[in-house]
Amino acid sequence: MANISYKCPTCGAEIFWDASAGKFLCKYCGDEFTMADMEASGQAVSAVDSQHVEHHEEIVNNEYTSSTDGTVGSNLVKYKCSYCGSEIITDRATAATVCVYCGNAVVMGEQLINDFAPDYVIPFKIDKSRVMQAFKDFSKKPLTPKAFDPEKVVEKMQGVYIPFWLYSGECEGCMDAEGVNEKTTRQGNYRVVEKSIYNVLREGKVRFKNVPVDGSSKTDDAAMDSIEPYDYKDMVPFKPAYLSGFLAERFDEDAEKCFERAKVRIENTTLDKLKASAPYDNITVRTYNKNIKKEKPKYALLPTWLLYTVYNGEKYFFAMNGQTGKFIGNLPIDKGKLTFCSILGAIAGAFLGYIFLG
Amino acid sequence: MIRKIIEKIGFMLIAHSLLFTPIVAHADGAGGVGIVVGGAIGGFVVGSMLVSMSKTKITATKAEKYVEGELELKRKQDQFVTTKTEKHKVS
């Protein structure tokens, strides 16, 4: 059996998941279909038949050095498009792509079965047409160079389902700290600060649910952290049909390895909660013991738009949460504007300084 | 290489004047301390604020959005140790 793709039940053309409509949309006859409609038409939208998936072919003798579908990565493999028979050269971790020759949506079944079978997915809610507008709005920052035109700098824009591990559990923490309460009074020409010092002990536990960490080595970790949070109310049990028309990756960093990033976040937040329970003006932690009891992590594919841009020979990467529309990235900075604005700030600061201290 | 050295020298000069001009002015009893200090702080704050608006990619270090329920305290102890008093002359 070939890789998974979907056909319009009315006209038989290739059919894709439409993010804004939340349905399958046939671009040829205009008909729309729900997931139930597609299932009723006998198409395997709900599950991958693990007995009949097509496996990749290895690339030999450096036959190809770059992917044909625009995926990032150097560990390439070969698939065959189920529609036109062309070769699809893609990264080994790709789970869904689009054939560059015929536009057919291809879902790689072998990347979605057994250990790689996702538990959940949040379907795309934002379609491509809204991404460019969001990028234009995002780039309107005071220090953005005038010549930075969003229409011209975008080299590649991809809707990608990124693999995420979701960690739940509880963190038990015990904090030993010094708490200080300060009281300031005025005695003649003296300011008197009275510091009451306490030994503070707090022990407690905090429950966490679905702390996300991306399981892709190719994706910028900070960028994925920055597009959080995802709204889990839209998270549904995984169905391969949601991937049609988008790129998707399977994880290449396992749950144990990725947990280190979640652990730091969970421990820091538990400490914050313990500190907040101690009402002191200053608190200095002497020791902090912690222990996380985690449940079996969930594996989910979460929607992300990735934008690769080039400006003045420099590469800039932007990402957008495909569900909430949150846009992140580091824009280029116009040094002239920065200098001018800083001088204005300095003049305002000097004026205030003259009034209050001069 | 030369550009980097010039940049470093430039930053050192700026840092030097930002730090020492107010101190020298203060020691001389000049009235411009507020202007110099206010100017330096104003320029720095506005510059940093605008740069942070252009840079939104940050590594997450907390998980407060994923906390379910409240902190469940098991042990709570606050033991008074001592009181310290500091006196500062107000100029």
Side-chain angles (χ1 to χ4, degrees):
Chain A
M1 186 184 164
N3 289 307
I4 307 159
S5 60
Y6 301 100
K7 304 275 183 285
C8 171
T10 309
C11 70
E14 282 304 308
I15 196 165
F16 298 93
W17 179 259
D18 187 87
S20 51
K23 289 175 180 176
F24 278 93
L25 182 66
C26 179
K27 286 178 184 169
Y28 298 93
C29 68
D31 279 359
E32 291 180 357
F33 303 94
T34 63
M35 202 63 87
D37 295 336
M38 293 294 283
E39 226 154 15
S41 74
Q43 301 196 54
V45 289
S46 295
V48 178
D49 180 358
S50 57
Q51 302 298 313
H52 299 96
V53 291
E54 188 195 18
H55 293 279
H56 66 266
E57 282 177 51
E58 294 294 337
I59 285 177
V60 288
N61 301 330
N62 295 326
E63 189 185 359
Y64 296 98
T65 53
S66 63
S67 68
T68 55
D69 60 353
T71 51
V72 183
S74 52
N75 194 355
L76 301 174
V77 291
K78 200 160 53 175
Y79 287 94
K80 195 167 267 184
C81 173
S82 56
Y83 194 69
C84 71
S86 302
E87 282 183 338
I88 298 169
I89 312 303
T90 189
D91 186 73
R92 190 177 292 273
T94 301
T97 190
V98 175
C99 172
V100 72
Y101 301 103
C102 68
N104 179 37
V106 181
V107 179
M108 283 77 168
E110 69 166 340
Q111 306 289 18
L112 300 164
I113 55 170
N114 305 329
D115 290 345
F116 296 125
D119 299 309
Y120 297 98
V121 60
I122 295 179
F124 268 91
K125 272 197 154 178
I126 292 172
D127 61 28
K128 202 170 187 171
S129 61
R130 285 172 59 195
V131 181
M132 187 45 87
Q133 188 53 48
F135 185 41
K136 282 180 190 166
D137 295 341
F138 176 77
S139 60
K140 283 178 194 158
K141 297 285 189 296
L143 299 184
T144 308
K146 254 191 173 175
F148 187 82
D149 182 352
E151 296 273 12
K152 290 177 186 165
V153 295
V154 174
E155 209 178 39
K156 198 164 66 176
M157 187 199 295
Q158 295 174 329
V160 185
Y161 279 101
I162 301 285
F164 274 81
W165 293 106
L166 307 178
Y167 300 94
S168 298
E170 55 189 34
C171 180
E172 287 183 348
C174 183
M175 171 189 82
D176 172 37
E178 181 185 84
V180 178
N181 274 336
E182 286 186 8
K183 199 171 123 189
T184 306
T185 52
R186 182 87 181 245
Q187 290 176 5
N189 281 340
Y190 287 91
R191 187 165 55 90
V192 180
V193 183
E194 194 182 280
K195 291 182 176 176
S196 304
I197 299 167
Y198 294 81
N199 276 336
V200 181
L201 183 88
R202 291 287 186 278
E203 190 179 341
K205 70 177 176 190
V206 181
R207 195 171 153 72
F208 292 87
K209 196 170 182 194
N210 294 336
V211 180
V213 174
D214 74 272
S216 166
S217 62
K218 298 189 294 294
T219 317
D220 182 342
D221 291 345
M224 293 302 102
D225 288 351
S226 306
I227 58 169
E228 288 177 21
Y230 281 94
D231 188 348
Y232 294 125
K233 75 172 175 16
D234 290 332
M235 194 158 75
V236 291
F238 176 74
K239 289 180 180 181
Y242 287 119
L243 308 189
S244 72
F246 297 99
L247 290 174
E249 284 178 32
R250 61 140 167 91
F251 71 86
D252 61 358
E253 290 180 327
D254 64 23
E256 212 49 51
K257 186 179 178 190
C258 293
F259 179 62
E260 285 307 309
R261 281 169 59 204
K263 192 177 160 212
V264 172
R265 296 175 65 178
I266 290 170
E267 288 173 354
N268 285 346
T269 297
T270 304
L271 181 61
D272 284 350
K273 293 275 174 192
L274 292 171
K275 278 184 182 174
S277 72
Y280 293 93
D281 295 333
N282 290 307
I283 193 147
T284 310
V285 178
R286 288 191 285 240
T287 58
Y288 172 47
N289 298 314
K290 58 267 176 191
N291 179 35
I292 298 174
K293 286 179 192 162
K294 70 173 196 283
E295 296 164 8
K296 186 175 179 273
K298 292 171 201 155
Y299 174 37
L301 298 181
L302 306 185
T304 314
W305 283 99
L306 306 179
L307 275 83
Y308 300 87
T309 67
V310 177
Y311 174 71
N312 272 357
E314 293 266 335
K315 288 185 175 180
Y316 294 88
F317 169 74
F318 300 91
M320 183 192 193
N321 184 317
Q323 179 201 25
T324 64
K326 186 179 177 188
F327 214 107
I328 64 97
N330 293 346
L331 287 159
I333 285 174
D334 185 328
K335 285 179 183 167
K337 280 186 183 177
L338 176 61
T339 310
F340 178 71
C341 293
S342 298
I343 290 170
L344 283 184
I347 292 170
F351 180 68
L352 291 173
Y354 176 72
I355 290 172
F356 293 108
L357 301 170
Chain B
M1 180 69 182
I2 292 170
R3 198 182 152 180
K4 280 199 170 174
I5 292 170
I6 293 170
E7 270 179 11
K8 269 190 183 167
I9 293 170
F11 278 120
M12 280 163 68
L13 284 173
I14 292 167
H16 179 269
S17 42
L18 285 181
L19 180 67
F20 287 106
T21 309
I23 293 171
V24 172
H26 183 69
D28 290 348
V33 180
I35 295 175
V36 177
V37 173
I41 293 173
F44 180 75
V45 168
V46 170
S48 314
M49 222 168 64
L50 293 177
V51 168
S52 72
M53 285 169 79
S54 292
K55 297 193 180 293
T56 54
K57 200 169 73 176
I58 39 162
T59 302
T61 54
K62 304 284 171 73
E64 70 277 358
K65 289 166 194 149
Y66 308 99
V67 172
E68 206 179 38
E70 298 292 319
L71 166 73
E72 220 176 283
L73 267 183
K74 283 181 176 174
R75 206 149 51 114
K76 181 183 171 184
Q77 213 174 305
D78 296 82
Q79 186 187 28
F80 176 71
V81 181
T82 185
T83 300
K84 283 182 185 169
T85 307
E86 290 171 8
K87 269 187 170 183
H88 304 277
K89 190 163 189 183
V90 182
S91 56

